[in-house]
Amino acid sequence: MLSIALAAAVVVALAPRLPRLRQRYDDTALAPIDGAADRRDNPALTRQLADWAAQGAGNGATLLPWARPKVPVPLAIARVAASEATAVRHFGYRLAGYHQLDERSRLGGILYRIGVQLRPLAWCLPRRADEPWDDAWLGTADAPRLAALSRWLPRRPTLIVVADARLAAPLEAALAHAARHGDQPVRLLVLDPAVPPGQVLTA
């Protein structure tokens, strides 16, 4: 009887989190960073970008399973030199955890993916430093994608890289909905030819 009561309590506790397990990567709004072989790192820039992404992101943990995590800075925007595109791609590739799959066997990769998908059930645990983010690399943003982004809510912390600086303003406007109603941090990183190499300029 005790075990049945305990199982029922676990089900009740997890019930508010179960809808999150159905969330999937929204490819109408986002487009993943590709796995290009050429991913040269720029350690100094990577450190700056990692600090910028983490600042105000919160830790993702809540006291109760139905509570929303606190995100002090839901949307942050930064600009880096367009010439740093390769280093930015390397940073985003690792932030999204793709390298974890590269370094694992097929079975290890499957188990890693399952662990990532089940992570929303651990509502009381702070986000780990190596926990993967969702990612996007947008070279263009046509009307359908901007419309999708204006409805989009992040399922986990998300980095969006914009390869065309002219798209920064319309993308920022489209992400206002996610900033107001989402419960995960979103970071918009703009590749801008006007920015000096090696610098991360924040808004």
Side-chain angles (χ1 to χ4, degrees):
M1 184 65 69
L2 180 60
S3 60
I4 294 175
L6 181 59
V10 170
V11 170
V12 170
L14 294 179
R17 310 294 296 183
L18 294 179
R20 292 178 178 262
L21 299 184
R22 296 197 299 268
Q23 293 179 305
R24 294 293 179 264
Y25 185 90
D26 186 350
D27 55 12
T28 60
L30 308 175
I33 295 174
D34 66 46
D38 185 11
R39 294 190 296 272
R40 292 187 300 273
D41 190 16
N42 178 336
L45 182 67
T46 293
R47 284 192 297 272
Q48 292 183 71
L49 291 174
D51 290 344
W52 162 73
Q55 187 172 7
N59 64 14
T62 61
L63 182 62
L64 300 171
W66 52 83
R68 289 160 55 95
K70 293 182 179 179
V71 186
V73 183
L75 175 63
I77 303 169
R79 295 175 180 266
V80 297
S83 60
E84 301 281 14
T86 300
V88 168
R89 190 182 298 276
H90 177 87
F91 168 72
Y93 191 86
R94 295 188 66 85
L95 187 67
Y98 294 127
H99 68 293
Q100 299 278 6
L101 299 175
D102 295 340
E103 297 165 1
R104 286 172 162 79
S105 66
R106 182 175 176 81
L107 177 59
I110 291 172
L111 294 176
Y112 174 77
R113 287 178 182 274
I114 291 173
V116 170
Q117 292 298 326
L118 294 179
R119 177 63 179 83
L121 297 181
W123 71 87
C124 57
L125 298 181
R127 188 185 305 118
R128 301 190 315 271
D130 63 347
E131 200 163 312
W133 286 41
D134 272 344
D135 64 293
W137 187 284
L138 303 182
T140 61
D142 56 16
R145 189 175 297 279
L146 289 173
L149 279 169
S150 69
R151 300 185 299 268
W152 170 76
L153 291 175
R155 62 173 181 164
R156 60 176 67 123
T158 304
L159 171 71
I160 300 175
V161 180
V162 186
D164 185 343
R166 294 171 296 181
L167 297 173
L171 284 171
E172 181 181 1
L175 291 169
H177 175 75
R180 284 195 302 268
H181 303 291
D183 58 11
Q184 299 292 336
V186 178
R187 300 296 179 254
L188 182 63
L189 183 59
V190 183
L191 299 180
D192 189 338
V195 176
Q199 294 188 21
V200 178
L201 303 184
T202 56

